[in-house]
Amino acid sequence: MSGWRLLVEIFLPIPLVLLFFLSLPFPKFFRRTVLRLTNNVMSLPLIGGLQLVHVMLCITGVALAAMTKNTLINNRFSPPADTALSANQRQHYLGQKWRNERNFWIAALSFMSWWGLFCFYKASHKRVELEEENQKLKDRLSAYESFQNPGDPQNAEESEVTEESKKDD
């Protein structure tokens, strides 16, 4: 399997599919499941304790840098306009230019999808943590509010009833 085929068929679809599922408005249980799946895929241990996301960012970053260089070199060196080129030479030049530009955009999309997945996962994970913390604080607040507050009108009525019952005793 060639490098570009590997990039297009494996390195590109994985982050796009995970980004798609992370962006869907699932209920809490499914959202946590998708986050757990994304974490398992991204933190898959590889060479020397490196995680999959770091290796993919390096591979796709190198591919992007190489294709940027090739595209700039190919666009800088165009055939002289005064030289008569045969149809085959012109097709060869245009084919190389098209292939380099295509590979550049594939590498750019692949790198940005891994980078976007990494950033979106971090933001989604932080959001779930904050929602859980918010729910805990709401539970604590409702527990504190269950105690009687002297300034609360509802509690004031209840306290009047209890004071009247104490006078009767």
Side-chain angles (χ1 to χ4, degrees):
M1 184 177 269
S2 72
W4 285 108
R5 187 170 177 188
L6 185 70
L7 186 74
V8 169
E9 292 182 2
I10 295 175
F11 296 167
L12 188 59
I14 291 172
L16 292 179
V17 168
L18 291 174
L19 269 171
F20 173 73
F21 283 121
L22 277 175
S23 65
L24 290 177
F26 286 128
K28 265 187 189 176
F29 171 75
F30 291 120
R31 192 174 338 138
R32 286 189 187 123
T33 304
V34 170
L35 280 172
R36 197 173 312 119
L37 172 71
T38 304
N39 185 34
N40 289 343
V41 170
M42 286 180 25
S43 63
L44 189 68
L46 295 176
I47 306 163
L50 291 175
Q51 296 177 348
L52 178 68
V53 68
H54 300 127
V55 172
M56 290 300 109
L57 281 171
C58 287
I59 290 172
T60 57
V62 167
L64 178 60
M67 290 320 309
T68 301
K69 178 184 168 225
N70 285 349
T71 303
L72 290 175
I73 288 172
N74 196 15
N75 286 341
R76 186 176 299 151
F77 298 112
S78 59
D82 60 349
T83 308
L85 295 177
S86 69
N88 288 339
Q89 289 173 332
R90 181 167 166 70
Q91 289 297 329
H92 174 73
Y93 171 74
L94 291 176
Q96 273 187 331
K97 183 177 178 181
W98 180 84
R99 194 176 313 114
N100 283 333
E101 289 175 2
R102 177 203 62 190
N103 291 345
F104 168 78
W105 289 111
I106 290 171
L109 179 62
S110 183
F111 178 77
M112 292 306 293
S113 63
W114 279 103
W115 183 263
L117 174 66
F118 182 71
C119 293
F120 195 74
Y121 168 77
K122 291 291 185 187
S124 297
H125 186 68
K126 185 71 172 173
R127 178 181 175 216
V128 168
E129 286 178 350
L130 289 174
E131 285 175 353
E132 289 173 357
E133 183 180 344
N134 188 22
Q135 187 61 40
K136 287 178 186 176
L137 289 173
K138 283 181 181 179
D139 293 342
R140 285 181 59 192
L141 180 63
S142 65
Y144 286 131
E145 287 178 349
S146 65
F147 295 116
Q148 292 182 354
N149 292 331
D152 191 8
Q154 183 179 2
N155 290 336
E157 293 173 5
E158 292 173 3
S159 63
E160 290 175 5
V161 170
T162 55
E163 287 176 10
E164 290 177 5
S165 64
K166 287 181 183 178
K167 289 179 184 178
D168 292 340
D169 292 338

